[in-house]
PDB file of all heavy atoms in Angstrom:
ATOM      1  N   GLY A 134      -9.944  -2.526 -27.450  1.00 89.00           N
ATOM      2  CA  GLY A 134     -10.853  -1.591 -28.084  1.00 89.00           C
ATOM      3  C   GLY A 134     -11.046  -0.350 -27.235  1.00 89.00           C
ATOM      4  O   GLY A 134     -10.381  -0.152 -26.209  1.00 89.00           O
ATOM      5  N   PRO A 135     -11.966   0.512 -27.629  1.00 93.00           N
ATOM      6  CA  PRO A 135     -12.213   1.757 -26.901  1.00 93.00           C
ATOM      7  C   PRO A 135     -12.656   1.500 -25.458  1.00 93.00           C
ATOM      8  O   PRO A 135     -13.412   0.560 -25.195  1.00 93.00           O
ATOM      9  CB  PRO A 135     -13.326   2.429 -27.713  1.00 93.00           C
ATOM     10  CG  PRO A 135     -13.272   1.798 -29.060  1.00 93.00           C
ATOM     11  CD  PRO A 135     -12.812   0.398 -28.828  1.00 93.00           C
ATOM     12  N   LEU A 136     -12.197   2.343 -24.561  1.00 94.00           N
ATOM     13  CA  LEU A 136     -12.597   2.231 -23.162  1.00 94.00           C
ATOM     14  C   LEU A 136     -14.103   2.377 -23.012  1.00 94.00           C
ATOM     15  O   LEU A 136     -14.702   1.829 -22.077  1.00 94.00           O
ATOM     16  CB  LEU A 136     -11.870   3.286 -22.334  1.00 94.00           C
ATOM     17  CG  LEU A 136     -12.092   3.264 -20.814  1.00 94.00           C
ATOM     18  CD1 LEU A 136     -11.609   1.954 -20.213  1.00 94.00           C
ATOM     19  CD2 LEU A 136     -11.381   4.447 -20.168  1.00 94.00           C
ATOM     20  N   GLU A 137     -14.731   3.099 -23.928  1.00 95.00           N
ATOM     21  CA  GLU A 137     -16.178   3.321 -23.856  1.00 95.00           C
ATOM     22  C   GLU A 137     -16.952   1.997 -23.885  1.00 95.00           C
ATOM     23  O   GLU A 137     -18.038   1.887 -23.309  1.00 95.00           O
ATOM     24  CB  GLU A 137     -16.637   4.228 -24.997  1.00 95.00           C
ATOM     25  CG  GLU A 137     -16.215   5.689 -24.850  1.00 95.00           C
ATOM     26  CD  GLU A 137     -14.710   5.891 -25.022  1.00 95.00           C
ATOM     27  OE1 GLU A 137     -14.059   5.043 -25.705  1.00 95.00           O
ATOM     28  OE2 GLU A 137     -14.179   6.886 -24.468  1.00 95.00           O
ATOM     29  N   GLU A 138     -16.416   0.987 -24.576  1.00 94.00           N
ATOM     30  CA  GLU A 138     -17.069  -0.328 -24.596  1.00 94.00           C
ATOM     31  C   GLU A 138     -17.133  -0.911 -23.185  1.00 94.00           C
ATOM     32  O   GLU A 138     -18.165  -1.441 -22.754  1.00 94.00           O
ATOM     33  CB  GLU A 138     -16.328  -1.278 -25.523  1.00 94.00           C
ATOM     34  CG  GLU A 138     -16.410  -0.911 -26.990  1.00 94.00           C
ATOM     35  CD  GLU A 138     -15.628  -1.863 -27.868  1.00 94.00           C
ATOM     36  OE1 GLU A 138     -14.764  -2.599 -27.344  1.00 94.00           O
ATOM     37  OE2 GLU A 138     -15.875  -1.884 -29.080  1.00 94.00           O
ATOM     38  N   MET A 139     -16.031  -0.807 -22.466  1.00 95.00           N
ATOM     39  CA  MET A 139     -16.000  -1.321 -21.099  1.00 95.00           C
ATOM     40  C   MET A 139     -16.907  -0.497 -20.191  1.00 95.00           C
ATOM     41  O   MET A 139     -17.535  -1.044 -19.279  1.00 95.00           O
ATOM     42  CB  MET A 139     -14.575  -1.324 -20.561  1.00 95.00           C
ATOM     43  CG  MET A 139     -13.653  -2.304 -21.260  1.00 95.00           C
ATOM     44  SD  MET A 139     -12.061  -2.438 -20.420  1.00 95.00           S
ATOM     45  CE  MET A 139     -11.192  -3.536 -21.550  1.00 95.00           C
ATOM     46  N   ARG A 140     -16.965   0.790 -20.435  1.00 96.00           N
ATOM     47  CA  ARG A 140     -17.853   1.625 -19.610  1.00 96.00           C
ATOM     48  C   ARG A 140     -19.313   1.257 -19.874  1.00 96.00           C
ATOM     49  O   ARG A 140     -20.135   1.287 -18.951  1.00 96.00           O
ATOM     50  CB  ARG A 140     -17.593   3.099 -19.903  1.00 96.00           C
ATOM     51  CG  ARG A 140     -16.220   3.589 -19.421  1.00 96.00           C
ATOM     52  CD  ARG A 140     -16.186   5.092 -19.270  1.00 96.00           C
ATOM     53  NE  ARG A 140     -14.874   5.593 -18.930  1.00 96.00           N
ATOM     54  CZ  ARG A 140     -14.343   5.586 -17.702  1.00 96.00           C
ATOM     55  NH1 ARG A 140     -15.032   5.051 -16.707  1.00 96.00           N
ATOM     56  NH2 ARG A 140     -13.137   6.076 -17.478  1.00 96.00           N
ATOM     57  N   GLU A 141     -19.649   0.927 -21.105  1.00 93.00           N
ATOM     58  CA  GLU A 141     -21.005   0.480 -21.403  1.00 93.00           C
ATOM     59  C   GLU A 141     -21.313  -0.820 -20.672  1.00 93.00           C
ATOM     60  O   GLU A 141     -22.390  -0.992 -20.093  1.00 93.00           O
ATOM     61  CB  GLU A 141     -21.179   0.274 -22.909  1.00 93.00           C
ATOM     62  CG  GLU A 141     -22.572  -0.218 -23.299  1.00 93.00           C
ATOM     63  CD  GLU A 141     -22.699  -0.529 -24.774  1.00 93.00           C
ATOM     64  OE1 GLU A 141     -21.816  -0.149 -25.566  1.00 93.00           O
ATOM     65  OE2 GLU A 141     -23.703  -1.195 -25.145  1.00 93.00           O
ATOM     66  N   LEU A 142     -20.352  -1.727 -20.682  1.00 94.00           N
ATOM     67  CA  LEU A 142     -20.516  -2.994 -19.970  1.00 94.00           C
ATOM     68  C   LEU A 142     -20.711  -2.749 -18.483  1.00 94.00           C
ATOM     69  O   LEU A 142     -21.644  -3.269 -17.859  1.00 94.00           O
ATOM     70  CB  LEU A 142     -19.299  -3.879 -20.217  1.00 94.00           C
ATOM     71  CG  LEU A 142     -19.307  -5.244 -19.547  1.00 94.00           C
ATOM     72  CD1 LEU A 142     -20.095  -6.233 -20.397  1.00 94.00           C
ATOM     73  CD2 LEU A 142     -17.882  -5.761 -19.353  1.00 94.00           C
ATOM     74  N   ALA A 143     -19.819  -1.942 -17.894  1.00 95.00           N
ATOM     75  CA  ALA A 143     -19.880  -1.674 -16.460  1.00 95.00           C
ATOM     76  C   ALA A 143     -21.163  -0.955 -16.074  1.00 95.00           C
ATOM     77  O   ALA A 143     -21.701  -1.163 -14.978  1.00 95.00           O
ATOM     78  CB  ALA A 143     -18.665  -0.851 -16.028  1.00 95.00           C
ATOM     79  N   GLY A 144     -21.684  -0.120 -16.970  1.00 94.00           N
ATOM     80  CA  GLY A 144     -22.902   0.626 -16.666  1.00 94.00           C
ATOM     81  C   GLY A 144     -24.119  -0.249 -16.491  1.00 94.00           C
ATOM     82  O   GLY A 144     -25.084   0.154 -15.827  1.00 94.00           O
ATOM     83  N   SER A 145     -24.088  -1.443 -17.075  1.00 95.00           N
ATOM     84  CA  SER A 145     -25.221  -2.360 -16.955  1.00 95.00           C
ATOM     85  C   SER A 145     -24.929  -3.530 -16.031  1.00 95.00           C
ATOM     86  O   SER A 145     -25.793  -4.383 -15.824  1.00 95.00           O
ATOM     87  CB  SER A 145     -25.604  -2.903 -18.345  1.00 95.00           C
ATOM     88  OG  SER A 145     -26.014  -1.865 -19.204  1.00 95.00           O
TER      89      SER A 145
END
Side-chain angles (χ1 to χ4, degrees):
L136 184 62
E137 288 70 25
E138 292 178 343
M139 293 189 184
R140 292 200 185 280
E141 179 185 347
L142 180 83
S145 298

